[in-house]
Amino acid sequence: MTIHAALFDFSGTLFRLEHPELASNADLMRALTAPVGIADDMDPELVDAWYRRDLDPDVHRWVHVRVLNDANVPDAEALYDQLIDAESWQPYPDTKAALEHLADVPVAVVSNIGWDIRPVFERFGLTHLVDEFVLSYEEGVIKPDPKIFTSACERLGVDPRHAVMVGDSEEADGGAEAIGCSFRLVNPVPTSDRPNALLDVARTIPV
């Protein structure tokens, strides 16, 4: 079936958070960026806020700072500010090429996120390759809820059956299949370890 639109996840798919403070702590890194689930040994009083973090920027800040403090990270407030700064995010080597390969169809970035990721795309000159940003904290819904994928397809003007979702989480991003989208999975490894997987996926999409 011909694809008329492409939806992409942000973290672990198009970009990756790469910060020296987290480079030696893989468990904390994954806890902070995983789209679903909770951090290991999380204080029970934080669990509800953790699940709501991508719906409210204030909750996002509060609960992430608490998790960083609980992990004995020094100056957690300052580190949090760095982690949502565009300079802490790196595109995968083939992000631009993959988006350019799909330039003939509309593209949306669909992300569970508690802050505005548009400056990240602006920093790397990629904004013109994205037609819509569908962000959980703006939409009031998080993946895998079908509503966020439906919103993305409606804003792109495409039938979900003619759209593909590309992401690093089968549980979260794979939720797009519930409305008829196809799904492609990529591995959220460090950018240096995944030079061309995204472009390889893009090349399998029949547009």
Side-chain angles (χ1 to χ4, degrees), residues 26 135 173:
L135 311 182
D173 303 309

Side-chain angles (χ1 to χ4, degrees), residues 5 12 35 43 50 54 58 70 94 100 105 113 141 145 152 160 163-164 169 186 204 207:
D43 187 326
W50 186 257
D54 291 328
D58 291 335
D70 289 349
D94 56 346
E100 288 178 336
V105 299
I113 201 78
V141 63
D145 192 315
V164 60
S169 170
V186 292
T204 70
V207 297

